[in-house]
Amino acid sequence: MILTAIVFLPLLAALVTMLLPKEDKVLLRNFGVASTSLIFLFSLLLLWKFDGRVGGMQPSLSVNLAWLQSLGIRYQMGVDGISLFLVLLTTFLTPIAILGAGGSVTKRHREFVAAMLVLETGMLGAFVALDMVLFYVFWELMLVPMYLLIGIWGGERRIYAAIKFVIYTMVGSVLMLVAIIYLYLRFHELTGQWTFSLLEWNRMVLTPKEQLLCFGAFALSFAIKVPIFPLHTWLPDAHVEAPTPGSVILAGVLLKMGTYGILRFAMPLFPYAATKLAPYLAILGIVGIIYGALLAYAQKDAKKLIAYSSISHLGFVILGLMSLTIQGTQGAIYIMIAHGITSAGLFLGFGILYDRRHTRLMSEYGGIWKVMPTYSALYMIIMLGSVGLPGLCGFIGEFLVLLGAYDHQAFVAFQSGPVMLSHPKLMTSIAALGVIFSALYLLVMFQRIFFGPVKHEVNQDLPDATGVELGALVPLVVLVFVLGLVPSPLLRRMEPSVKLHLAQFVAKQKASEEIAKADIRKAFVLPRAVLDAAALKDPSGMKAHKMQKGKKFPELGMRRGRSARTRGTTPVDHPQGPAVNEAAGAREPSRQGRRGARGAAQPGGAPQPFNTITPMDLPRGLRLGQKRRLEQEVRYQKRPPLDPKAAQGGR
Amino acid sequence: MPHTAKFPLFLIPLLPFLGAAISLIFGRRMRRQSVHLVAVGSVVAACTVALIAIFGHLLGDVSLWSLRANWLMTGGEGAPRLVDAAYTWIASGSVSIPVGFVLDPLAAVMVLVVTFVGALIHIYSCGYMAGDKDYARYFGYLNLFTGAMLILVLADNLPLLFVGWEGVGLCSYLLIGFWYGKDENATAGKKAFIVNRIGDAGFLLGMLLLWAAAGTLTFSELTNPDIQAALIHKTWQLFPQAQDFTSPGKVSFLIELRPVELICVFLFVGAVGKSAQIPLYVWLPDAMAGPTPVSALIHAATMVTAGVYMVARMNMLYSLAPNILIFVAFIGAATAIFAAFIAFSQNDIKKVLAYSTVSQLGFMFAALGTGSYAAAIFHLAAHAFFKACLFMDAGVVIHALGGEQDIRAMGGLRRKLPVAHWTFLVSCLAIAGIPLFAGFFSKDMILLGTLANTFEKQAGTTMLTAGAMRTVGWILYLMLTTASMMTAFYMFRLYGLTFLGEPRTDSRVLAELHRPSSSMRWPLVVLALGATLVGVLGAPTLFAGSDGAGWLFLAGALVTAAVLVWMAFFWASDIEEEAGRDSSYVQWGLIKGPLLGAAAVMVFVGIWAAAGKSFIKIWPAAGKSFIKIWPANWLGEWLKPSLSSWPIVQVKPEFASKANPFVASHGAEAWTMALAVLLSLASIAAALWLYRKGPNQTLANLVATLRPVYKASLNKGWIDELYHLIIVRPVNFSAWLLRVAVDEFLIDKCLVTGAAWAVSVFGWISVQLQTGRVRQYIAAALVGLAVLIFLTTRSISTFDVQVSGSQVLVTAGVKGDQVLGVPEGRYRTKVGYDFNGDGKVDTWTLRPSQVVTWTYDKPGQHRIRMVVQDPRFGKKTSTEKVVTVGAGR
């Protein structure tokens, strides 16, 4: 209920704005700020209700209602440690963005406030949705108000920027939509169940090829949103042309939608592909760190500079996510939040200056500290937070990401590969050099705008920040300090969820590895118990990962309870009849004996219900021709793929 | 086990931070006195807390009579440490980094230096900055700096140390650019921050490597033998692929590194950045753009020593990596010489001092590199006093002359600014290494460290042989002796040009000389006193321990006392001269008293030292207690628990014996000392002879003779220009190139806009096709249908052959027939095989994917032909393959 209220209250408020007078700027602004602030306060309830000791979706906060029952689409939402703070970030930044609109919004005030409110609903919904259709609806819902924000209230090239933004994002979303539909059909094929629920889909282990394709579709969609180099060129245009609140929301929240999507959807659904592609994505992240920083350094336009700095920072997030370690993932989430605060602050702060001078060129400023000391001091703190000064918010995430990436699990797979790929330490070291560049471009910007003599007469008597502007800036500055000095309340609440997330990722990844190793083109669905067990057995998630090499996927042993029963008794309907059964029986003793011993040794090892096929049921080393024939036979006879024995072939 | 106690250490950094917060937030609305009170008060309070901690807990039971702790003499075991953990800062998975503080003797020395010298500089600043508009901001930054520095020295783990590390860098940036109205200042600040950041990136990498190798970043845990063993034994291959190029077993140094070596190198990169060593020293001279007290505090006394402190703090790692220590020593020695060389010809009073600082830091690193950690810390503490004093004197001079910094326009200030003059002279004597002043002892300890035989003992654990290690020691000794000679020369050049000779200043400026206020004079005197007396804390064994040598010390003490008394009385005559002009300025006792006091202390300590051993013969009990009270190398002993009692891993016992490098014979000690003093005196004499009268013909001739050398020194070796050429411009250019060529043109224009353009071109073509003529549509549809039929019915066959013994298994794959889904039978594609090569099909199969087996009679090559018969066109296509069959089983 709380989630529903948080997500849809902004929409309600947007409807209420329609009753307000059209051009009463102050009233509309106040209404917008007041309503979103109330929503923020209300969203703090989440923090109170949140149980930081357990990972996964909080049961007390989840919603799961029927929506379009015939299609299996449900109204399913939930919050865990990963999304909690992104939700809070969104509700926190929206009032600040509306408050900071200042002089950048000069017309259609009612529509502006309404657009911001609708945007908030879209963002919140996307962060909490667990049904893929619901997610997609919110995902696309965000586009509309953002498009309007850039297109109506933007700068000179606003139409170009808005269209570029929308088309770019749409290209990615369409691919994602295709992948979603494919997964929907595939899940039905495997289980006979029509559902869009992410939690159900998470059990699905697809074949390597499917994973790579679907991951590609999802990742492309999210990579555009992040944006990952080289899909970033919409970002500077959108940022430069967007009005201040648009930039604030865009940099503060929308970009995180991409990294959140990778973490929430792309990685757990396609762990095999994620692991295989992780080094490449990590390298793209590292390229982004350095490239974004150098590009930022080369800009003359302050807003463009900040936009490119986002590319650099989000490179760290990608690196962290792709490190597949707890530290890396937590660090990545932390950077998302910290960057949400600092980039919002940088845009908001520059917006204050822009309102006074209406130019984005840094050369038009200089010596601003002399005329606007309070504003400059606050801006400097935000700038330093963005630089990643230890003790301020930017550092924690970067440090954790680097720590995690140094232990880069995914790179292990490339030990025999090219030098660059097989050296997480070397790669991470390059990423660490990003800290030099981040200081470089931000200090250069700061010097050009704030230090030196007052070069232009116009700047001589600019008024210092007003009360409203301070009201928008000061909360951000406070958070820059708080997040830097006491990160543990956040990290503590994230940790169980991240651990669970990684443990399940590892469990699924290993199951996928089994498929890949056996070279069987067969997907299957893991029992929920396996994912739960993965988390229980290995709360850190790391143990399973270390075992990856040379050992079988231990959790799959869970299925033996039933298969041991069925193997002996159930007659198997197979075209080649008894021969196959004999073959299966022939290799039974050794395997079953081993497993049985292990199963017995396991305390409380009650057999888990298991009704799906696993790669264990499939013989290894099938010869080419036999295998191909086998597949055809399965197809011709319309054998339901769920039958455990369907795919067994004789020798 | 060291005895550990809890103490609220967080108060020590917190107090200055609170002061900073008050000054920065409310400062503009506060009166000056309140700002003073907050700024100075917070640092003094921090100092008081530190003193309570140290004297109340760390020293054990302190009685007035014997100023010593129970553990003081024994060193090592039982050394108490004060710890404090405020809260967990970062926790994630196995990472847990607390905001934890530790106060051990090493930290105690640093805390005392930072808070004590810091407090003096705060007091001095009250006078110096009196005329500035942004008064509160200045003190806020200064307090912030003090707090950050205290975090740095008190931290019990590397990430927290890094907070202070970057924090002091930030404050340095803010204070260098304090007068931001001038672009040069802002640029200098930026340069300092960025060069520091380069070092910090190295530091960060060192931390990451340490984390990866040891799994901990807490200092006390790094002494764990298991962890140390892991750091030594595990090797990291830099390029595993490159292993083929090296013969097995013999892996070269560059390819395989012990983790600890890599970690030490990267941490040292951080230290190089912060402590302004080659090649990252370039920021420090530019940092002189800040207010002078800032130069004294940050760029001489405290922040720049952070690198030295960090390496000393990480001694448990560095001791495991002797190769790296040698590297550290050479970087330090090279910096000491190079910076001194540049200082020869600089004309800005602060620049000379800045390069002098770089040079002295080089001495400290050379000491660290030879394993004499205690000597480095000792020199650090002594340097903090005399260099702060020198800078503040320079501040008085600059203040007095209304901002003039060029020493060519000074001269003759001896009479005008007596307090500055005398304190400057004392500090010069100290830095030049004149006996019994602070610098003498510390520099002597460093020089001796290079020759101490423990350094040779590292041989065998390094790449070098014992003989080579001895040579290394000698080279370092020669380098440092040269540097110390140069130090004496350029310092007295500075002294001569500034204070001696006739005034070369504009007479109008001279007439309205700004006298330093009392808040500026008092700290000078205290610091000069420190520069005189601090050395006694570390007086080496030669003076205190051996029989009869104490008398030598007494003689030295008497000479020093005589110098001090002479100074006091000459100063008095100066004062009398001044008195006629401005009686309010004169404070008779201000220097005279302290100098006389210092002389008295010197004499007392000298007598004590001399009496010590001699007393033993007459009155053993008293003699022993004398020696106990003032042992040899008191500071070194006190520092021992921090620097060498870490349980060093026993794998290579050679490292462990590095604990006390001062075991060289007294003979060596005596002659190194004598030589150093002689060389210093000679340099001083030369400098005074050349510069006592300001620029003159002799000098001009000398410069003309040495023109290329002089030019190189004057232009700072063109290093700035070199960096500009090889680093700054390439970075700028590549950034520009990336923006213009890659981002704007390649990605945005070609790919993104290009894709949009391609779509529109496609749309245009479609528009052209949309003619509305039905005939064309039908024709197109028919063509399309034909193509479709052709594509879907085409038989594309694959042909797999597997051989096992004499048996051949053949499989065909025919695609076309699958696409149409034709049932088996007459209309289905037939596949035939001809195995024996007689031209006729031996086996026909209706299911192409069916495996057909054929057994050959004789081994050898056989030609297999596959024939595919397409029912639609009755066409046959054939494919041939040659197989080699083995003998039957």
Side-chain angles (χ1 to χ4, degrees):
Chain A
M1 239 2 253
I2 299 178
L3 275 187
T4 308
I6 291 172
V7 171
F8 289 104
L9 275 177
L11 206 58
L12 195 69
L15 291 177
V16 174
T17 50
M18 293 303 139
L19 306 175
L20 297 175
K22 222 173 177 179
E23 289 301 322
D24 190 344
K25 183 179 171 180
V26 179
L27 176 69
L28 281 161
R29 191 70 48 84
N30 288 348
F31 172 76
V33 173
S35 56
T36 48
S37 304
L38 283 176
I39 292 166
F40 170 62
L41 292 178
F42 185 67
S43 70
L44 289 177
L45 260 182
L46 283 182
L47 209 58
W48 183 54
K49 287 255 183 180
F50 192 87
D51 184 358
R53 288 161 302 174
V54 296
M57 294 299 155
Q58 296 276 318
S60 64
L61 293 170
S62 295
V63 188
N64 191 356
L65 302 169
W67 182 19
L68 300 176
Q69 205 131 32
S70 57
L71 290 172
I73 300 171
R74 295 184 71 79
Y75 176 74
Q76 190 181 6
M77 304 200 292
V79 147
D80 67 351
I82 295 169
S83 50
L84 171 69
F85 294 102
L86 292 168
V87 169
L88 294 180
L89 177 74
T90 311
T91 53
F92 172 74
L93 279 184
T94 312
I96 285 180
I98 299 177
L99 197 62
S104 60
V105 174
T106 48
K107 54 185 175 185
R108 293 174 173 272
H109 299 286
R110 191 168 71 180
E111 285 80 354
F112 164 72
V113 174
M116 290 298 285
L117 289 165
V118 174
L119 185 59
E120 188 178 7
T121 289
M123 295 185 295
L124 291 171
F127 279 134
V128 297
L130 292 179
D131 186 280
M132 289 306 286
V133 171
L134 193 62
F135 168 74
Y136 195 78
V137 166
F138 283 125
W139 173 266
E140 295 292 314
L141 177 64
M142 292 183 307
L143 269 184
V144 182
M146 200 64 223
Y147 172 67
L148 296 177
L149 276 173
I150 300 173
I152 295 177
W153 295 279
E156 286 153 24
R157 295 170 72 225
R158 56 179 179 267
I159 302 299
Y160 170 77
I163 290 179
K164 196 174 183 180
F165 165 71
V166 168
I167 291 182
Y168 227 131
T169 318
M170 284 299 265
V171 169
S173 340
V174 164
L175 283 174
M176 180 166 72
L177 186 62
V178 172
I180 288 175
I181 292 167
Y182 180 80
L183 291 173
Y184 175 61
L185 298 174
R186 201 74 173 89
F187 192 77
H188 176 254
E189 200 180 339
L190 292 170
T191 61
Q193 198 185 342
W194 294 109
T195 178
F196 279 100
S197 165
L198 177 73
L199 300 182
E200 292 293 314
W201 285 10
N202 265 345
R203 291 158 52 212
M204 181 163 48
V205 182
L206 296 172
T207 62
K209 205 181 226 171
E210 283 173 320
Q211 289 204 18
L212 285 168
L213 283 171
C214 292
F215 182 81
F218 269 77
L220 190 72
S221 164
F222 295 132
I224 288 171
K225 204 83 175 179
V226 172
I228 295 177
F229 170 87
L231 304 169
H232 62 271
T233 53
W234 64 268
L235 180 74
D237 284 322
H239 268 319
V240 165
E241 300 305 328
T244 303
S247 298
V248 167
I249 292 296
L250 192 57
V253 186
L254 281 199
L255 303 187
K256 281 81 200 176
M257 214 52 92
T259 44
Y260 173 77
I262 291 177
L263 180 63
R264 170 72 77 213
F265 303 106
M267 282 171 67
L269 284 177
F270 321 110
Y272 177 83
T275 319
K276 280 284 172 275
L277 295 177
Y280 299 103
L281 277 172
I283 285 171
L284 281 184
I286 292 166
V287 169
I289 292 170
I290 304 290
Y291 183 86
L294 276 175
L295 259 286
Y297 177 59
Q299 299 303 324
K300 296 189 176 81
D301 179 324
K303 271 186 119 177
K304 246 186 180 167
L305 187 149
I306 306 168
Y308 276 104
S309 84
S310 294
I311 296 171
S312 185
H313 281 110
L314 288 164
F316 273 107
V317 178
I318 297 296
L319 179 65
L321 293 181
M322 290 304 139
S323 75
L324 309 178
T325 52
I326 293 175
Q327 288 89 24
T329 313
Q330 277 198 280
I333 301 170
Y334 208 89
I335 295 183
M336 290 188 216
I337 294 154
H339 178 256
I341 302 292
T342 54
S343 67
L346 286 175
F347 275 118
L348 196 72
F350 189 76
I352 292 172
L353 213 51
Y354 184 82
D355 288 348
R356 286 162 173 65
R357 286 280 281 107
H358 296 284
T359 174
R360 297 184 304 260
L361 287 177
M362 287 184 276
S363 54
E364 286 294 312
Y365 300 97
I368 295 297
W369 193 306
K370 199 162 276 171
V371 281
M372 302 168 70
T374 310
Y375 159 75
S376 306
L378 294 177
Y379 201 71
M380 187 175 71
I381 294 168
I382 294 172
M383 183 271 287
L384 292 169
S386 183
V387 166
L389 201 80
L392 301 182
C393 63
F395 174 72
I396 313 285
E398 279 178 25
F399 183 67
L400 282 175
V401 162
L402 290 174
L403 271 187
Y406 239 59
D407 231 3
H408 208 308
Q409 298 294 330
F411 281 108
V412 175
F414 287 80
Q415 206 52 269
S416 54
V419 174
M420 292 305 272
L421 287 182
S422 61
H423 280 279
K425 292 189 175 61
L426 211 60
M427 296 303 305
T428 315
S429 305
I430 296 171
L433 296 185
V435 304
I436 302 174
F437 291 111
S438 69
L440 187 64
Y441 61 79
L442 280 169
L443 291 188
V444 165
M445 178 191 87
F446 203 75
Q447 184 185 351
R448 287 193 196 154
I449 295 179
F450 294 94
F451 289 157
V454 185
K455 291 183 193 93
H456 302 275
E457 276 301 311
V458 220
N459 295 337
Q460 202 58 262
D461 33 40
L462 296 179
D464 207 339
T466 62
V468 172
E469 289 161 343
L470 286 182
L473 265 185
V474 168
L476 292 171
V477 171
V478 170
L479 269 193
V480 166
F481 277 113
V482 171
L483 289 182
L485 293 173
V486 274
S488 46
L490 276 75
L491 292 173
R492 205 173 51 231
R493 287 183 174 82
M494 279 176 210
E495 194 164 322
S497 294
V498 170
K499 275 180 175 168
L500 183 82
H501 188 81
L502 278 176
Q504 296 188 345
F505 178 87
V506 169
K508 267 188 76 177
Q509 204 271 338
K510 287 177 66 59
S512 314
E513 284 285 337
E514 290 288 332
I515 298 184
K517 244 189 267 170
D519 193 24
I520 291 162
R521 304 199 175 87
K522 199 106 197 91
F524 64 93
V525 172
L526 282 171
R528 200 167 291 141
V530 169
L531 289 184
D532 293 347
L536 284 177
K537 274 186 183 174
D538 184 12
S540 73
M542 286 300 90
K543 206 164 54 184
H545 220 124
K546 294 228 165 96
M547 288 198 304
Q548 192 171 328
K549 257 194 174 170
K551 281 192 187 170
K552 276 188 192 143
F553 178 46
E555 283 75 20
L556 281 178
M558 298 294 282
R559 55 167 282 292
R560 69 189 152 269
R562 178 169 180 247
S563 71
R565 270 204 316 275
T566 47
R567 267 202 190 117
T569 54
T570 320
V572 178
D573 178 21
H574 195 274
Q576 287 182 12
V580 176
N581 280 337
E582 266 172 36
R587 61 164 211 283
E588 197 72 333
S590 62
R591 220 186 244 197
Q592 208 196 340
R594 204 173 68 225
R595 286 201 189 151
R598 252 204 276 155
Q602 209 170 47
Q608 300 284 331
F610 190 79
N611 55 2
T612 49
I613 190 167
T614 78
M616 285 301 184
D617 293 309
L618 302 175
R620 298 258 188 94
L622 284 173
R623 279 189 302 195
L624 191 66
Q626 282 173 319
K627 200 175 71 204
R628 193 170 287 159
R629 188 181 64 219
L630 191 127
E631 276 171 21
Q632 268 182 358
E633 272 157 8
V634 169
R635 194 176 304 142
Y636 284 144
Q637 292 169 19
K638 298 268 185 298
R639 191 168 284 280
L642 287 180
D643 190 321
K645 294 302 163 199
Q648 283 203 351
R651 281 169 201 249
Chain B
M1 270 305 288
H3 161 64
T4 319
K6 266 194 79 73
F7 187 86
L9 291 173
F10 71 92
L11 281 174
I12 301 177
L14 186 68
L15 286 165
F17 277 139
L18 284 179
I22 293 170
S23 297
L24 288 175
I25 297 174
F26 309 107
R28 265 183 287 166
R29 268 167 254 141
M30 280 158 69
R31 284 181 307 141
R32 300 216 148 174
Q33 279 76 7
S34 337
V35 176
H36 283 166
L37 195 70
V38 169
V40 179
S42 63
V43 178
V44 170
C47 188
T48 314
V49 176
L51 285 172
I52 291 171
I54 293 166
F55 284 95
H57 295 80
L58 211 57
L59 285 179
D61 55 331
V62 179
S63 64
L64 268 180
W65 170 235
S66 63
L67 226 169
R68 67 176 192 85
N70 295 335
W71 52 276
L72 203 59
M73 300 308 136
T74 55
E77 314 80 17
R81 304 186 308 143
L82 291 181
V83 292
D84 184 29
Y87 61 94
T88 305
W89 183 37
I90 303 177
S92 164
S94 50
V95 182
S96 180
I97 296 156
V99 178
F101 301 108
V102 60
L103 187 75
D104 62 351
L106 177 60
V109 171
M110 292 299 293
V111 167
L112 284 184
V113 167
V114 171
T115 52
F116 185 70
V117 177
L120 288 177
I121 290 171
H122 275 74
I123 294 168
Y124 175 88
S125 298
C126 297
Y128 192 86
M129 299 299 285
D132 204 279
K133 190 165 63 73
D134 275 333
Y135 199 66
R137 187 163 63 91
Y138 172 85
F139 277 102
Y141 289 167
L142 219 54
N143 269 356
L144 197 64
F145 168 81
T146 313
M149 190 70 199
L150 288 169
I151 291 250
L152 195 158
V153 298
L154 286 171
D156 80 340
N157 58 62
L158 273 177
L160 189 62
L161 188 146
F162 194 58
V163 173
W165 187 269
E166 290 258 296
V168 292
L170 166 71
C171 295
S172 168
Y173 163 74
L174 294 173
L175 283 163
I176 294 168
F178 180 73
W179 290 309
Y180 54 82
K182 278 172 78 182
D183 257 335
E184 306 87 83
N185 297 354
T187 308
K190 189 183 72 192
K191 181 177 177 181
F193 196 88
I194 288 169
V195 174
N196 263 304
R197 264 260 147 156
I198 295 174
D200 294 350
F203 190 94
L204 196 60
L205 283 178
M207 266 200 294
L208 297 176
L209 279 167
L210 184 60
W211 168 255
T216 178
L217 293 170
T218 306
F219 301 136
S220 54
E221 283 170 21
L222 288 174
T223 56
N224 182 329
D226 295 337
I227 290 177
Q228 294 208 334
L231 285 171
I232 293 175
H233 289 311
K234 204 167 80 182
T235 55
W236 278 336
Q237 290 164 350
L238 218 51
F239 295 102
Q241 284 79 10
Q243 255 184 335
D244 311 338
F245 303 112
T246 57
S247 53
K250 271 193 168 180
V251 186
S252 83
F253 175 72
L254 283 176
I255 302 294
E256 237 175 61
L257 282 169
R258 293 189 300 162
V260 69
E261 287 173 343
L262 215 53
I263 292 163
C264 287
V265 166
F266 278 117
L267 290 179
F268 180 58
V269 170
V272 162
K274 192 107 310 182
S275 293
Q277 297 295 289
I278 289 174
L280 297 179
Y281 69 89
V282 285
W283 67 272
L284 186 58
D286 287 23
M288 296 304 135
T292 307
V294 169
S295 308
L297 178 63
I298 297 186
H299 304 121
T302 54
M303 169 184 136
V304 290
T305 60
V308 179
Y309 167 75
M310 190 272 293
V311 174
R313 176 54 88 198
M314 303 304 287
N315 67 81
M316 61 287 203
L317 293 189
Y318 278 89
S319 296
L320 299 175
N323 285 327
I324 306 308
L325 276 181
I326 295 172
F327 175 67
V328 171
F330 272 103
I331 291 278
T335 309
I337 288 191
F338 187 67
F341 172 68
I342 295 175
F344 270 171
S345 59
Q346 296 304 306
N347 290 321
D348 183 325
I349 184 169
K350 284 176 77 180
K351 283 256 161 95
V352 177
L353 292 176
Y355 280 106
S356 152
T357 306
V358 175
S359 175
Q360 295 301 307
L361 289 165
F363 272 92
M364 293 174 212
F365 276 103
L368 294 171
T370 49
S372 330
Y373 304 111
I377 297 297
F378 182 25
H379 196 57
L380 186 161
H383 177 257
F385 281 94
F386 56 69
K387 191 48 70 65
C389 184
L390 286 169
F391 263 112
M392 282 152 71
D393 285 330
V396 169
V397 169
I398 295 165
H399 186 75
L401 299 183
E404 181 62 72
Q405 300 201 4
D406 193 333
I407 46 177
R408 286 170 300 191
M410 293 177 185
L413 293 173
R414 186 167 66 100
R415 299 284 163 92
K416 307 286 177 192
L417 303 165
V419 179
H421 168 236
W422 287 109
T423 49
F424 197 90
L425 182 59
V426 167
S427 302
C428 274
L429 290 170
I431 197 173
I434 297 307
L436 302 199
F437 289 95
F440 165 72
F441 294 110
S442 56
K443 209 175 270 186
D444 177 65
M445 215 191 248
I446 292 172
L447 288 175
L448 195 64
T450 59
L451 295 178
N453 51 14
T454 43
F455 191 56
E456 292 169 16
K457 275 191 185 165
Q458 291 177 1
T461 63
T462 68
M463 307 173 289
L464 304 177
T465 60
M469 286 303 288
R470 194 185 286 269
T471 319
V472 163
W474 273 106
I475 294 172
L476 285 173
Y477 174 76
L478 287 178
M479 287 171 88
L480 291 182
T481 311
T482 314
S484 106
M485 217 170 94
M486 290 161 91
T487 308
F489 186 86
Y490 68 73
M491 282 316 297
F492 276 87
R493 167 182 177 266
L494 183 64
Y495 169 74
L497 284 177
T498 311
F499 290 101
L500 301 184
E502 290 306 309
R504 298 182 292 279
T505 324
D506 195 339
S507 54
R508 271 169 302 170
V509 177
L510 219 53
E512 11 184 286
L513 210 63
H514 299 283
R515 304 264 179 235
S517 61
S518 65
S519 67
M520 287 168 76
R521 273 175 279 145
W522 269 106
L524 289 179
V525 176
V526 178
L527 285 173
L529 212 58
T532 314
L533 293 176
V534 162
V536 179
L537 292 176
T541 46
L542 174 63
F543 289 139
S546 76
D547 204 3
W551 296 109
L552 197 62
F553 190 90
L554 177 61
L558 286 172
V559 172
T560 314
V563 171
L564 291 172
V565 170
W566 175 76
M567 283 180 176
F569 281 97
F570 261 76
W571 174 74
S573 68
D574 280 342
I575 294 291
E576 272 147 27
E577 201 172 299
E578 288 294 307
R581 295 188 197 165
D582 183 1
S583 56
S584 67
Y585 166 64
V586 180
Q587 283 177 10
W588 226 87
L590 186 63
I591 280 201
K592 196 174 174 185
L595 283 184
L596 290 176
V601 171
M602 274 293 171
V603 172
F604 177 72
V605 170
I607 291 172
W608 199 288
K613 273 255 167 151
S614 314
F615 259 41
I616 292 179
K617 289 170 195 157
I618 312 162
W619 186 11
K624 267 179 198 156
S625 69
F626 269 46
I627 289 172
K628 264 190 181 174
I629 290 163
W630 190 56
N633 193 6
W634 189 90
L635 190 72
E637 290 293 321
W638 196 53
L639 284 172
K640 231 180 184 178
S642 301
L643 293 177
S644 59
S645 79
W646 301 100
I648 301 282
V649 66
Q650 289 304 306
V651 186
K652 287 185 172 145
E654 294 94 323
F655 304 152
S657 65
K658 286 167 55 56
N660 184 3
F662 307 107
V663 292
S665 67
H666 287 152
E669 215 171 347
W671 73 251
T672 51
M673 217 170 254
L675 187 68
V677 172
L678 278 178
L679 289 173
S680 285
L681 286 174
S683 296
I684 292 170
L688 286 181
W689 179 69
L690 278 171
Y691 290 100
R692 69 191 186 286
K693 287 177 184 157
N696 52 39
Q697 194 54 42
T698 331
L699 271 175
N701 292 341
L702 193 67
V703 167
T705 326
L706 300 172
R707 191 150 192 82
V709 183
Y710 175 75
K711 277 273 172 197
S713 169
L714 188 66
N715 292 310
K716 308 153 198 165
W718 295 283
I719 298 293
D720 276 328
E721 287 77 6
L722 183 73
Y723 283 179
H724 193 72
L725 196 68
I726 62 167
I727 296 170
V728 180
R729 293 206 19 206
V731 167
N732 288 350
F733 178 74
S734 55
W736 176 83
L737 195 71
L738 278 181
R739 177 167 72 89
V740 175
V742 177
D743 209 66
E744 287 178 1
F745 181 73
L746 188 70
I747 297 180
D748 204 40
K749 270 268 149 48
C750 294
L751 296 178
V752 178
T753 324
W757 180 79
V759 169
S760 66
V761 165
F762 186 74
W764 180 81
I765 292 171
S766 311
V767 167
Q768 303 310 309
L769 290 176
Q770 203 81 10
T771 54
R773 291 180 195 156
V774 180
R775 277 175 301 168
Q776 281 181 7
Y777 291 170
I778 292 173
L782 285 176
V783 170
L785 192 65
V787 169
L788 218 60
I789 287 173
F790 175 74
L791 287 178
T792 50
T793 57
R794 204 164 46 128
S795 294
I796 305 162
S797 46
T798 57
F799 181 19
D800 293 332
V801 182
Q802 283 184 11
V803 183
S804 91
S806 61
Q807 217 175 28
V808 189
L809 286 86
V810 195
T811 323
V814 179
K815 276 192 184 159
D817 110 297
Q818 291 177 23
V819 173
L820 285 180
V822 181
E824 287 181 30
R826 200 181 140 200
Y827 298 107
R828 191 171 173 127
T829 309
K830 281 203 290 186
V831 180
Y833 300 98
D834 169 16
F835 290 104
N836 48 21
D838 58 358
K840 277 188 275 180
V841 174
D842 302 314
T843 315
W844 280 104
T845 167
L846 279 175
R847 277 176 44 194
S849 55
Q850 187 176 327
V851 183
V852 176
T853 317
W854 186 269
T855 313
Y856 283 101
D857 302 330
K858 44 185 177 182
Q861 282 201 338
H862 292 279
R863 188 181 297 268
I864 299 175
R865 193 161 59 92
M866 181 187 72
V867 182
V868 179
Q869 189 175 5
D870 190 326
R872 289 174 298 258
F873 310 110
K875 205 177 100 187
K876 283 183 183 173
T877 49
S878 61
T879 324
E880 282 189 346
K881 267 195 182 174
V882 177
V883 290
T884 312
V885 180
R889 343 171 197 183

